[in-house]
Amino acid sequence: MATLQFTFTDSTSLFRPSLPSSRTFPRNRSLVVKASSSSSSSDDISRSRRRFLAETTAISVSLPHLAARAEDTLSEWERVYLPIDPGVVLLDISFVPDDPNHGFLLGTRQTILETKDGGNTWAPRSIPSAEDEDFNYRFNSISFKGREGWIVGKPAILLYTADAGDSWERIPLSAELPGDMVYIKATGEKSAEMVTDEGAIYVTANRGYNWRAAVQETVSATLNRTVSSGISGASYYTGTFNTVNRSPEGKYVAVSSRGNFYLTWEPGQPYWQPHNRAVARRIQNMGWRADGGLWLLVRGGGLYLSKGTGLTEEFEEVPVQSRGFGILDVGYRSTEEAWAAGGSGILLRTTNGGKSWIRDKAADNIAANLYSVKSVY
């Protein structure tokens, strides 16, 4: 099925796949970019790279309802302006499977936006149960299955809907939860899987009223107790995950906060399994390819793919035109097509499973980093 892609910045708009747009926008406005079947982008700026990386942020998403263009053409992206304050960081996006035009966009400063026209326009959404005067919530993750949806955030907050987001119920959580909730996945009727940045994984099958631990201890406890020997940077580990990604089969890969090693977990395993990085530079991010293999990004712009389709510590570098800027995320739409996004508006596309990548210039005029690529089917 064809998908669309979005990119978020801390200026005030969204980038999505559609007809080409020549509009420009002030740098202080927050934007999301909506993309169509394929495209490329980059941004030449005079600021120092360090300042640029510190001041900008973005995300990329794929939508299900637009038809794909011919495979030999690059995608077209259009900007979608958002009603949010400058400085808001956009963190996740999800659409209701039963209604692909209906979606939600999350961010810092208690930001929740809602669209009912496939992402063309967005409006602020108020959820009374999440409006606590004492907290300014950071909504980290959202997921839908059918008409049921879940939102998690920091400080600890869990929201649940059974009616496609028309109403949201706040589910109480234990104050002793290890770490901050960074990810949630709707897995079935009244069921979900939740992950914290300390490696705790919990599952529920009754709307979140009870949760069962899927791992026996946090990553810190595992590393400091038994397996830190031989893992570079794992001794006396007290950090958190930098990134965590889930495969459709429920397997996880996570990168340590310093990027000096990574961890994996599969359903049924009692503990996270640590792995030495196979490359010299520190890891920026890791995730799953559509064929079941892994992709790995290193700081400074390197892209690696694991050998084969199973879990392995052997990776091969793939040449990419990153211009020295870091690549921050990769998102697969199929076993053959994927997008990579990164600093200074870098957008790359592959149509052969990652063997070669073509730079897409669609985001050349966007003074922001593209932080995440997400496909919504």
Side-chain angles (χ1 to χ4, degrees):
M1 177 181 292
T3 57
L4 260 153
Q5 298 191 303
F6 283 84
T7 303
F8 311 153
T9 76
D10 63 358
S11 326
T12 39
S13 48
L14 174 71
F15 208 16
R16 77 165 199 175
S18 185
L19 295 177
S21 171
S22 59
R23 292 172 293 169
T24 59
F25 63 97
R27 210 185 63 184
N28 290 332
R29 299 188 57 196
S30 170
L31 91 81
V32 184
V33 197
K34 192 175 170 186
S36 95
S37 51
S38 66
S39 173
S40 90
S41 90
S42 134
D43 181 32
D44 296 324
I45 56 175
S46 59
R47 288 178 294 169
S48 73
R49 185 180 309 170
R50 179 175 300 176
R51 182 181 173 194
F52 182 82
L53 293 176
E55 290 182 356
T56 57
T57 182
I59 236 186
S60 238
V61 180
S62 291
L63 288 185
H65 60 284
L66 292 189
R69 305 288 181 88
E71 285 297 320
D72 57 349
T73 62
L74 291 178
S75 67
E76 299 167 342
W77 297 76
E78 78 175 285
R79 293 169 184 149
V80 179
Y81 293 89
L82 302 176
I84 57 179
D85 295 330
V88 169
V89 178
L90 303 172
L91 299 174
D92 201 10
I93 189 170
S94 185
F95 285 76
V96 180
D98 292 350
D99 182 4
N101 288 321
H102 190 192
F104 292 84
L105 181 59
L106 307 183
T108 58
R109 302 184 187 178
Q110 296 192 182
T111 298
I112 301 179
L113 301 180
E114 183 176 18
T115 180
K116 294 186 177 181
D117 59 8
N120 291 307
T121 60
W122 297 81
R125 173 63 189 271
S126 175
I127 299 178
S129 59
E131 295 177 353
D132 192 320
E133 295 181 359
D134 296 329
F135 295 107
N136 190 355
Y137 290 106
R138 171 192 179 100
F139 295 117
N140 288 322
S141 180
I142 181 171
S143 178
F144 278 93
K145 182 80 171 182
R147 294 178 60 81
E148 294 183 76
W150 306 78
I151 292 175
V152 294
K154 174 186 177 182
I157 184 172
L158 173 63
L159 302 174
Y160 169 80
T161 180
D163 55 13
D166 290 339
S167 62
W168 292 87
E169 172 188 1
R170 184 167 181 175
I171 306 296
L173 290 169
S174 170
E176 298 180 357
L177 197 69
D180 297 318
M181 292 178 295
V182 293
Y183 179 80
I184 193 162
K185 173 67 175 180
T187 56
E189 184 178 358
K190 301 180 182 179
S191 301
E193 198 168 87
M194 179 173 65
V195 184
T196 76
D197 61 358
E198 292 187 12
I201 302 176
Y202 297 97
V203 295
T204 182
N206 60 359
R207 294 182 50 159
Y209 292 112
N210 300 104
W211 294 86
R212 175 181 60 83
V215 293
Q216 296 184 10
E217 58 190 10
T218 64
V219 169
S220 295
T222 298
L223 293 177
N224 295 330
R225 178 178 56 81
T226 58
V227 297
S228 60
S229 177
I231 303 298
S232 176
S235 297
Y236 306 104
Y237 173 84
T238 58
T240 57
F241 290 159
N242 184 40
T243 64
V244 58
N245 283 297
R246 183 184 189 273
S247 75
E249 298 77 29
K251 297 184 290 186
Y252 284 90
V253 60
V255 177
S256 68
S257 54
R258 296 176 59 191
N260 48 356
F261 65 96
Y262 67 98
L263 307 102
T264 58
W265 180 84
E266 297 183 13
Q269 292 182 334
Y271 312 109
W272 285 84
Q273 305 298 312
H275 304 267
N276 276 313
R277 68 181 190 271
V279 295
R281 285 180 287 175
R282 293 182 183 269
I283 304 171
Q284 177 71 44
N285 195 1
M286 292 183 69
W288 301 94
R289 304 197 306 264
D291 64 3
L294 289 166
W295 53 262
L296 182 151
L297 304 174
V298 297
R299 299 177 186 180
L303 169 61
Y304 294 76
L305 300 179
S306 65
K307 295 182 179 180
T309 58
L311 183 60
T312 177
E313 295 185 0
E314 297 184 29
F315 288 81
E316 293 181 325
E317 185 172 11
V318 179
V320 291
Q321 304 174 39
S322 66
R323 301 181 299 142
F325 289 98
I327 301 175
L328 302 177
D329 196 23
V330 175
Y332 275 77
R333 298 171 68 179
S334 68
T335 56
E336 297 298 319
E337 184 183 3
W339 288 82
S344 189
I346 289 293
L347 267 177
L348 303 167
R349 182 192 183 212
T350 179
T351 56
N352 57 13
K355 297 176 183 178
S356 62
W357 297 77
I358 298 175
R359 192 166 70 89
D360 186 330
K361 299 180 181 180
D364 275 359
N365 296 322
I366 297 178
N369 294 336
L370 310 182
Y371 272 87
S372 179
V373 180
K374 185 174 182 180
S375 296
V376 182
Y377 298 95

